[in-house]
Amino acid sequence: MTDTLTTPTVAPLPQERRVVTAIPGPRSVELQERRRAVVSGGVSSALPVFVERAHGAILLDVDGNQFIDLGAGIGVTTIGHTDDAVVAAAQTQLADVVHTLFTITPYEEYVRVAELLAAHTPGDFAKKTVLVNSGAEAVENGVKIARKYTGRSGVAVLEHAYHGRTNLTMAMNFKAMPYSLGFGPFAGDVYRAPNSYPLRDGLDGPAAAARTIAYLEKTVGAADLACLVVEPIQGEGGFIVPAEGYLPALQEWCTANGIVFIADEIQSGMARTGAYFASSHFGLVPDIVLSAKGIAGGLPLAGVTGRAEIMDASQPGGLGGTFGGNPVACAAAVAVFERIEKDDLLAQGRRIEAGLRTALESLRERYPVIAEVRGIGAMIAIELLDPETGAERADLVNAIAAEAAQRGVLVLTAGTYGNVLRFLPSLALSDELLTDAMDVLAECFAAVGA
């Protein structure tokens, strides 16, 4: 009998940039026409090329072009595309068990992921986890667990936050377009407070925290808040790093008032910042940590990990879902944790930060439109402002991203005002590819007249 599980022989994908057609190429143009006929127009793409293969930090499109990927699926393929260990773990699990539903008949892989999350999230207290499918679903579950535990309904979030595209998470987002415009009515009892944005507000951490706390106490009252949901480093908001002391002050206030402090580490977690979770950089020990994106090497998985007494407040059957904690995704997640440990990928995050920051600061010296270089680890951004008027230069950001694509480099835009270029490459990005990508970026700044 033919062994249907035999992996086909695939030629290695060279880790190099290569542009051989116009971007997009003819095959991508053809596929784009097919897409328009059958895919909702509400599903957009940053780069209109169709990917055929990916490995490490390189995307190969159907026309033979190879792109340096500085987006990693918005932080999903953190340890690299088609990582060998992740692929092997998923293949093995596919041959064993694909699905049973953990709430019907459990399996070890789910338990192992929960053990690893308990070991690597901040805090040395007893923790428990529920696994779900996506970041937005993790946020939803984190909020409902906090509400159940506290008996309160209010949810506090921060300006410039992004938490997802479900009904509740749309209400928690700061930016309406494109995430929530026309999709209401939305979930209630969500309260948005000023955040710490050092470039714009000029406040130190304690002062910014005092402003946030005063706003929440005045507009909702601490006694009505179930939780405060915070991205330690805001993602879609533009990789905003809060001023020193800001987050610990918020956590102290939450603890004093019985409010569950939830760290949304969906984009900033899983080794991206040179630590397992970005909370560690700020001395935070959240009550609940939300993880997703990079946790399973590209497979859909997310987790809600928190203090055991909070997680156990839900009644049996109150948590779960048909595909949550799928065995194949769990096996991949275990492989991700093992790769981070075995190959010291935390150090790779710090290496990439050093390379990116050096190159971008050099670029900033040449182009005053770059108002700030910020971020931690492989999560770095530049914000573009007119040096004379302070106006946001979203036009330049979009032009630079488009020019970079033509030259074989994928970069992402971000920020409430669309004036931020964000770089969140995989930890597989070599120094050679990083240097090449930064050289291309410099060419793009010159080409668009920045």
Side-chain angles (χ1 to χ4, degrees):
M1 187 175 86
T2 303
D3 183 1
T4 58
L5 297 177
T6 300
T7 303
T9 301
V10 179
L13 187 58
Q15 296 296 288
E16 62 185 26
R17 178 171 59 97
R18 183 183 302 162
V19 179
V20 297
T21 72
I23 305 297
R27 179 69 176 135
S28 282
V29 170
E30 176 188 339
L31 287 168
Q32 186 70 10
E33 289 303 309
R34 289 171 55 188
R35 167 191 172 144
R36 289 194 185 99
V38 294
V39 177
S40 167
V43 182
S44 60
S45 298
L47 179 60
V49 301
F50 283 74
V51 174
E52 182 176 274
R53 288 179 56 205
H55 188 70
I58 293 293
L59 301 173
L60 170 68
D61 77 3
V62 292
D63 291 291
N65 301 296
Q66 293 192 179
F67 297 83
I68 301 174
D69 182 8
L70 300 183
I74 310 190
V76 169
T77 55
T78 299
I79 68 168
H81 290 284
T82 59
D83 178 82
D84 292 344
V86 170
V87 170
Q91 288 176 329
T92 299
Q93 188 60 45
L94 276 167
D96 290 341
V97 178
V98 175
H99 175 80
T100 69
L101 179 52
F102 191 77
T103 59
I104 302 299
T105 55
Y107 36 87
E108 182 181 358
E109 291 76 18
Y110 188 118
V111 176
R112 183 60 184 143
V113 173
E115 289 172 339
L116 288 164
L117 283 167
H120 292 292
T121 49
D124 58 3
F125 42 81
K127 303 170 197 163
K128 294 190 177 182
T129 289
V130 57
L131 297 178
V132 291
N133 302 292
S134 68
E137 194 176 351
V139 175
E140 292 256 0
N141 277 272
V143 168
K144 81 177 189 181
I145 291 167
R147 283 172 163 170
K148 182 72 171 179
Y149 176 72
T150 62
R152 306 171 183 176
S153 61
V155 178
V157 294
L158 299 178
E159 290 179 348
H160 306 290
Y162 174 81
H163 296 292
R165 287 182 170 91
T166 58
N167 187 267
L168 173 61
T169 55
M170 283 191 296
M172 295 168 66
N173 293 342
F174 182 72
K175 187 163 69 174
M177 182 64 184
Y179 304 116
S180 60
L181 186 66
F183 294 146
F186 304 113
D189 279 344
V190 176
Y191 304 91
R192 185 172 295 109
N195 71 331
S196 172
Y197 199 148
L199 177 66
R200 291 175 178 267
D201 61 34
L203 298 176
D204 64 17
R211 181 180 61 169
T212 301
I213 292 166
Y215 183 90
L216 290 172
E217 288 182 337
K218 176 66 73 174
T219 58
V220 53
D224 281 340
L225 284 177
C227 57
L228 171 61
V229 185
V230 171
E231 300 163 274
I233 302 172
Q234 291 186 319
E236 171 62 18
F239 289 11
I240 301 167
V241 180
E244 185 177 355
Y246 175 74
L247 293 176
L250 292 188
Q251 182 175 20
E252 183 178 349
W253 176 74
C254 285
T255 300
N257 288 279
I259 301 165
V260 177
F261 187 95
I262 300 178
D264 179 344
E265 293 258 23
I266 289 161
Q267 189 165 150
S268 60
M270 293 307 298
R272 173 151 298 282
T273 64
Y276 268 98
F277 293 93
S279 293
S280 300
H281 295 293
F282 305 100
L284 289 178
V285 182
D287 298 308
I288 291 177
V289 174
L290 310 178
S291 53
K293 289 191 181 290
I295 192 173
L299 278 74
L301 187 68
V304 182
T305 303
R307 295 179 181 273
E309 65 272 20
I310 296 176
M311 300 300 295
D312 281 342
S314 302
Q315 65 274 18
L319 303 176
T322 301
F323 295 104
N326 170 269
V328 180
C330 285
V334 173
V336 169
F337 274 104
E338 290 175 348
R339 277 275 283 116
I340 293 171
E341 286 292 313
K342 176 176 175 289
D343 296 314
D344 192 15
L345 296 189
L346 300 182
Q348 297 306 309
R350 295 188 288 270
R351 171 186 63 83
I352 289 171
E353 175 183 358
L356 280 174
R357 191 174 292 280
T358 298
L360 294 172
E361 289 288 2
S362 175
L363 202 60
R364 183 174 177 237
E365 292 177 0
R366 295 163 54 191
Y367 296 99
V369 72
I370 301 176
E372 184 176 47
V373 178
R374 60 176 180 253
I376 303 175
M379 191 174 185
I380 303 293
I382 54 176
E383 180 163 355
L384 273 57
L385 299 174
D386 187 292
E388 296 182 0
T389 67
E392 293 87 9
R393 294 301 307 271
D395 58 328
L396 271 183
V397 162
N398 292 329
I400 290 165
E403 185 68 26
Q406 294 298 312
R407 298 168 187 256
V409 177
L410 172 62
V411 298
L412 301 177
T413 63
T416 296
Y417 309 101
N419 66 318
V420 175
L421 280 167
R422 57 175 162 172
F423 307 92
L424 59 167
S426 79
L427 303 180
L429 183 74
S430 67
D431 289 338
E432 291 76 18
L433 284 178
L434 192 157
T435 297
D436 187 20
M438 291 298 100
D439 287 346
V440 167
L441 187 66
E443 294 170 2
C444 293
F445 265 81
V448 303

